[in-house]
Amino acid sequence: MIKTEEIIVAGFGGQGVLSLGQVLSYSAIIEDKETSWMPSYGPEMRGGTANCVVIISDGRISSPLVSRYDSAIILNQPSLDKFESCVKPGGFLFYEESTIVNPPTREDIHIFKIAATEEANKLNKKQVANMIMLGAFLEVRSIVKLESVSKALLKVLPERHHHLIPLNEKAIGIGKEIIQKQYQETI
Amino acid sequence: MENTNKKEVRLMKGNEALAEAAIRAGLHAYFGYPITPQSEILEYFEEQAPKRGFTVLQAESEVASINMIYGAAGAGARVMTSSSSPGVSLMQEGISYIATAELPCLIVNITRGGPGLGTIQPSQGDYFQSVKGGGHGDYKLFVLAPSSVQEMADFVFDAFRVSEKYRIPALILADGALGQMMEKLTLPEEGSLPHVTPEWGTTGKTKDRERNIITSLHIQPEKMEAINHHLQAKYKAIEEAEVRYEEYFMEDAEIVFVAFGLSARICQKAVDIVREKGIKAGLIRPITLFPFPKQIISETANRAVGFMVVEMNAGQMVEDVQLAVNGKCPVYFKGRMGGMIPTPEEIAVALEEKFIHHEEKV
């Protein structure tokens, strides 16, 4: 059986959802897996919300667009409203809590609440909230290795930001710790 | 300094992969005008041109860029332009001239939802425009429809090769999603498509030959008819030698999807979905839209229960499938329009409604 993970990453423009997805796709390539990264580039994006569909597979990827996801990484309320119902039963929903007024209600999926913005602010770099989300995701769904993610960061971040790679790696570690502390029994 | 020569695996957007492949295919010049969702092509060329030694020019309009292509191709250069639907509409007069003057070149259409100025979201609404003329008169283009980022790169080489062999403009017809999405690809090797200075090009007259004239104007009808016969013979030769298609689960297929580009990727997943329910479905994916793979469709129609054509338009390629099937079995259509992309589940349901539930009712 071919192992495939279909992921939606969604939030406001500027929260780094597209680059989070790219880090996942690059990591997959480093591990010689197949991958596709499909961004929203339309009026939706211009209106402030952005998302990308990332598929990582051991085999050939057919449709790069799907309507049901194994995992959702959600960074704002409109995205949660739109994508909560699209997670496959038994799937995984990770959400950044700071803007969420109406939390998810489904009982047939695994839900993880992550204080990513709060933790990123403690690092004085709110831009790494996306990497905290990535760390949390990877702690539960270890579809790519951490060392591949580190290599992927070199590819995704422009050279002028390479000095921030250690900070990004630290943020990923924080995301993993949040899961370990809060959801020990779940995973 | 990056080594751009060796074969390497990269994660790239379709638009960037296409542009990089064109540079590796020995592009001499690119003329274009920005429009979403293909502006990355122009941007990539502008970024690379100073380092890689080719000409890139942002024209004042699409009308200008296609006429620059006409001129540069006439001088024997390997040239291309790219645009998206409304911009490609503006180019149609020039494309007809280039086809009549028998010049090789590459035109890329990263299609968006129409008609009109429409939307920037992906569409396949320019199928008719691409294969049935688009401009005036009886001409054809060699039309390739990629369905992955890998093919966005590979087909540039194929397009130039066929275009130069037959002296016919080539068109790569993709959609906004293929332009914007990133996938893993292995880039084609630089230098694998050698340049041949064409003897018909306006490269400067030497004493040992007559002057070369590039024109599409032949005022005498006898002459113009002869040119038409010549063009039609060429199109026939291309139909005999250059058809490309791909089959997916066709060995025992009873119900056959026909789809190109992104729709074909979605149909692959739909095949997987209905196969799990025991429905023997398969897919024929036309890779060349002209020449259209009518023979395989016609042969398949002898044994198939029926066809379902899936397109991101109101039903265009379905007419060519119907012509190939020629009434031998039913041909149904499922489409989305205006920049909407069908989901694999939606396609699977459409197939079951037409072929499975329908039979139960009878």
Side-chain angles (χ1 to χ4, degrees), chain A residues 74 76-86 100-104:
Chain A
I74 302 294
N76 68 2
Q77 185 74 51
S79 302
L80 181 62
D81 297 342
K82 190 170 175 186
F83 294 114
E84 181 185 355
S85 63
C86 303
I100 301 300
V101 183
N102 303 310

Side-chain angles (χ1 to χ4, degrees), chain A residues 6 22 25-26 29 32-39 41-43 46 60-68, chain B residues 9-11 36-37 120-122 176-177 180-184 246 262 265-266 268-269 341 343-345:
Chain A
E6 294 165 339
Q22 281 186 18
S25 274
Y26 262 113
I29 284 186
D32 212 21
K33 292 180 163 132
E34 297 302 319
T35 187
S36 66
W37 174 90
M38 175 73 88
Y41 67 92
R46 292 175 184 199
R60 173 176 167 168
I61 294 167
S62 53
S63 176
L65 278 158
V66 289
S67 48
R68 302 262 162 234
Chain B
V9 176
R10 291 232 209 134
L11 182 73
T36 307
I120 59 176
Q121 294 298 109
Q180 294 297 323
M181 69 188 275
M182 290 178 116
E183 282 188 307
K184 180 168 121 171
E246 184 188 39
L262 185 68
R265 295 279 295 272
I266 296 163
Q268 277 180 10
K269 183 127 186 166
I341 304 171
T343 65
E345 291 79 8

Side-chain angles (χ1 to χ4, degrees), chain B residues 201-260:
Chain B
T202 52
T203 51
K205 185 187 168 313
T206 49
K207 281 183 183 161
D208 56 347
R209 66 162 171 85
E210 290 297 301
R211 63 191 182 129
N212 288 334
I213 299 172
I214 306 285
T215 182
S216 74
L217 175 69
H218 305 281
I219 209 83
Q220 287 174 317
E222 293 82 1
K223 177 91 188 289
M224 196 62 224
E225 189 181 44
I227 282 169
N228 268 282
H229 279 306
H230 167 71
L231 289 176
Q232 292 304 316
K234 176 165 79 176
Y235 302 147
K236 196 157 181 291
I238 292 171
E239 284 191 285
E240 278 161 14
E242 303 293 348
V243 172
R244 305 178 194 5
Y245 60 89
E246 184 188 39
E247 294 179 291
Y248 185 71
F249 277 98
M250 282 302 296
E251 300 78 20
D252 62 344
E254 292 167 356
I255 303 168
V256 182
F257 283 117
V258 185
F260 69 96

